[in-house]
Every structure is written in structure tokens, then in C-alpha cells.
């Protein structure tokens, strides 16, 4: 959103403009950056939905799979909403090619540093699959668990299906994510262009249902009240971040347990409960007055 606002790229540009290895693909050339950012590209790989496979991709393998991808009636670029991890990995790759910089450095310089998010990293993995974090941060990493409560790896292990730098697990803290949440609610004094880009990302672009739309990664439930949120995770961790801009209200849930979608249900329930409580208190105050 920031790059679009600053005229550095367009959401209507085809992804193969930057990932030039895909220019020989039959159907992938129809996919745009905007479709990748809104999960409307039509892409769907086995790693995107359960049952989760064990196989992953090197970069050359990923490129070959995308170049051979065929659109069908249920998977047409720009025609339907299908949540896809692969689409965002491809978007990361296109941004890296456009700016000749790693996605980690782009996130750091354009978002993390301006917001003061000093604990957040998209680390490389060493030969043993451990995150290359500073000793101070590595000591703070949590043990991850499966959906069934079984320990997965060790604290600091990097999980992911895509086996090249910039594609695996991110690390952050509750403090950092609270700053990110506050910035999205307009509660931090930050650069105007970055603030405007955050607002751009919160606008609905593709209709998903009667009152739900997809923006740039964020999903919007138009209520009322308007609720904007995002959940996600891996096999060892999950997260949820939600906000009600009109109420200046937000919530963050971080869990060290994988495949746990309770965050969205709990987060929404808490926010709606707080709104109802605030409304009831206002009514009581009005009655007393």
C-alpha cells in the first residue's frame, strides 16, 4: 500500500513483470499484484489448506509449479476469493525483485523501524533450521506446540513450506504488535504517508459475502460496527489481531499452539462485549443525568 501510494508500483501490474521467470507461464501472467494481496489470484497449492502435506518448495521448484499452473472455472484470477499462502509468498518475491532488496529489509526499513518495533524479526534459518536471532531475542522465544499439544521442535526453530530466505516464520512480541495495532488505529505519531497507507490497506476491495470484504490482507466485517481483523499461523503458533476503528478498540492474541482458530472467535467476542458494555454504561450515565 505504501509503495502504491508513493507511485513505486501499481496493484494492476502483472506479477511476471517482476518475477520474469514466469513470463513463459500459460495462465500465471494474468495474475496481478493486487490479486495476490487480496487472495483473489485463483492460486491454490496443497500447502495452503489442510490436510497439511510434508513437502515444501525450493525457489526453483516454486517457480516451475507456478509457471505450469492452469486456471479453471473455480480458480480464475480476479473472480473469486481463495485464501492462499502461496500467493503472498509470490507477492513477497515480486516486491523483492521490484526494489532489489530482501523482504526482511523492506519490512524493517519501511515498517518496523518507523513504528519502533524493535523485537520483530523475519530471520534467516541456519543449517539446523534455527532462527538467526540475537542471543537476547532467542532466549525469549516460546516453545511451539501442535494442535494436539505436542511440542514441535525447540524454541527458535523456523517453520515453513518455502525453503529460501524471507519465507518462513516471523517473530514478534506483544509489545511490538500492540504498537502495530495502535498505529493502525491512528494512535501513534507516525509518518503521514505510512499512516495513509495503513488506511488504504483497511479499505474493502473484493466482496466475500453480504457484509464482508477483503482488503490488502485485512478482512472487513462491515457490521455495524465495522470490524477489521486478520488471523493466521503455522503448525506451532497462531495469532489474531482485530480492531474496531470507530470505537478506537483493538485486541491482539498470540498463542504458541498451532492450527488454533479460536483467536478470531475469542477476539471478536471480547471486542463486541466491550462495545456492549460501553454502550450500557453510557445509557446508565444518561439515565442518571
Amino acid at each position: 500500500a505504501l509503495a502504491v501510494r508513493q507511485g513505486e508500483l501499481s496493484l494492476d501490474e502483472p506479477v511476471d513483470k517482476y518475477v520474469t521467470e514466469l513470463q513463459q507461464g500459460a495462465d500465471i501472467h494474468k495474475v496481478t499484484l493486487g490479486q495476490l494481496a487480496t487472495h483473489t489470484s485463483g492460486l491454490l497449492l496443497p500447502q495452503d489448506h489442510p490436510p497439511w502435506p510434508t513437502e515444501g518448495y525450493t525457489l526453483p521448484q516454486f517457480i516451475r509449479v507456478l509457471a505450469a499452473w492452469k486456471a479453471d472455472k473455480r480458480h480464475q484470477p480476479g473472480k473469486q476469493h481463495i485464501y492462499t499462502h502461496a500467493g503472498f509468498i509470490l507477492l513477497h518475491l515480486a516486491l523483492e525483485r521490484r526494489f532489489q532488496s530482501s523482504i526482511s529489509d523492506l519490512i524493517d526499513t519501511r515498517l518496523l523501524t518507523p513504528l519502533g518495533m524493535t523485537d520483530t524479526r523475519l530471520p534467516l534459518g541456519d543449517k539446523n533450521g534455527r532462527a538467526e536471532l540475537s542471543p537476547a531475542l532467542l532466549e525469549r522465544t516460546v516453545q511451539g506446540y501442535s494442535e494436539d499439544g505436542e511440542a514441535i521442535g525447540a524454541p527458535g526453530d523456523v517453520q515453513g513450506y518455502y525453503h529460501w530466505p524471507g519465507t518462513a516464520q516471523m517473530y514478534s512480541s506483544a509489545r511490538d504488535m500492540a504498537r502495530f495495532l495502535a498505529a493502525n488505529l491512528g494512535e501513534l505519531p507516525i509518518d503521514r504517508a505510512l499512516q495513509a497507507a495503513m488506511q488504504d490497506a483497511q479499505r474493502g476491495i473484493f466482496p466475500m459475502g453480504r457484509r464482508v470484504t477483503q482488503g490488502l490482507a485485512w478482512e472487513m466485517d462491515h457490521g455495524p460496527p465495522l470490524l477489521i481483523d486478520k488471523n493466521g499461523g503455522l503448525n506451532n503458533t497462531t495469532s489474531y489481531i482485530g480492531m474496531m476503528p470507530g470505537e478506537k478498540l483493538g485486541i491482539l492474541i498470540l498463542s504458541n499452539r498451532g492450527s488454533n482458530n479460536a483467536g478470531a472467535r475469542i477476539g471478536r467476542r471480547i471486542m463486541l462485549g466491550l462495545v456492549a458494555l460501553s454502550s450500557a454504561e453510557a445509557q446508565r450515565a444518561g439515565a442518571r443525568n
Side-chain angles (χ1 to χ4, degrees):
L2 182 61
V4 169
R5 178 164 282 274
Q6 295 181 161
E8 296 169 307
L9 54 77
S10 167
L11 293 178
D12 294 328
E13 290 176 324
V15 66
D16 64 4
K17 177 179 179 179
Y18 301 112
V19 187
T20 55
E21 302 98 310
L22 297 176
Q23 290 178 351
Q24 303 304 314
D27 289 338
I28 194 68
H29 72 277
K30 303 174 185 176
V31 173
T32 67
L33 301 183
Q35 290 165 356
L36 295 174
T38 56
H39 296 294
T40 56
S41 64
L43 290 175
L44 185 66
L45 300 186
Q47 289 75 10
D48 289 332
H49 292 280
W52 305 111
T54 57
E55 300 82 9
Y57 299 99
T58 63
L59 180 54
Q61 290 170 334
F62 187 57
I63 293 295
R64 286 197 295 271
V65 167
L66 294 177
W69 175 73
K70 301 291 186 182
D72 57 33
K73 291 182 179 180
R74 295 186 301 165
H75 303 84
Q76 288 288 330
K79 300 297 184 181
Q80 69 289 293
H81 179 274
I82 301 174
Y83 190 90
T84 166
H85 301 133
F88 260 70
I89 294 297
L90 180 54
L91 179 60
H92 288 180
L93 188 59
L95 292 173
E96 288 183 327
R97 299 289 181 81
R98 165 62 182 86
F99 294 105
Q100 294 296 295
S101 178
S102 71
I103 192 67
S104 177
D105 286 345
L106 287 170
I107 291 173
D108 185 55
T109 58
R110 294 188 174 222
L111 185 67
L112 303 182
T113 297
L115 296 183
M117 296 173 64
T118 56
D119 292 339
T120 305
R121 297 286 186 276
L122 177 55
L124 301 178
D126 64 20
K127 63 181 180 180
N128 297 315
R130 299 275 288 168
E132 294 182 351
L133 295 168
S134 68
L137 288 180
L138 194 58
E139 287 181 1
R140 294 167 54 193
T141 58
V142 300
Q143 173 65 55
Y145 295 88
S146 72
E147 183 178 9
D148 298 323
E150 298 179 356
I152 295 181
D157 282 0
V158 175
Q159 304 290 326
Y161 283 116
Y162 302 93
H163 306 310
W164 67 91
T167 61
Q169 194 162 3
M170 285 192 78
Y171 288 80
S172 191
S173 66
R175 171 200 169 275
D176 269 18
M177 293 306 298
R179 289 190 65 83
F180 180 69
L181 179 58
N184 272 277
L185 287 169
E187 295 293 301
L188 287 185
I190 63 174
D191 177 76
R192 290 184 178 181
L194 180 56
Q195 187 70 74
M198 287 184 162
Q199 297 302 310
D200 290 345
Q202 295 175 21
R203 295 194 178 98
I205 296 175
F206 189 88
M208 298 167 58
R210 183 173 57 85
R211 67 180 194 183
V212 180
T213 58
Q214 175 75 59
L216 301 182
W218 292 110
E219 293 182 9
M220 275 65 65
D221 185 326
H222 296 272
L226 173 64
L227 190 155
I228 302 173
D229 62 1
K230 178 74 179 74
N231 70 304
L234 293 165
N235 64 341
N236 63 339
T237 53
T238 52
S239 60
Y240 173 78
I241 183 170
M243 54 189 169
M244 292 181 175
E247 310 293 334
K248 291 294 183 182
L249 178 67
I251 190 168
L252 163 72
I253 299 174
L254 301 176
S255 171
N256 60 334
R257 189 161 178 155
S259 302
N260 181 4
N261 294 321
R265 297 193 301 272
I266 295 170
R268 291 182 177 187
R269 190 180 304 163
I270 291 173
M271 284 190 289
L272 291 170
L274 288 173
V275 170
L277 180 62
S278 177
S279 177
E281 288 178 347
Q283 289 177 0
R284 286 195 293 269
R288 287 196 298 270
N289 291 335

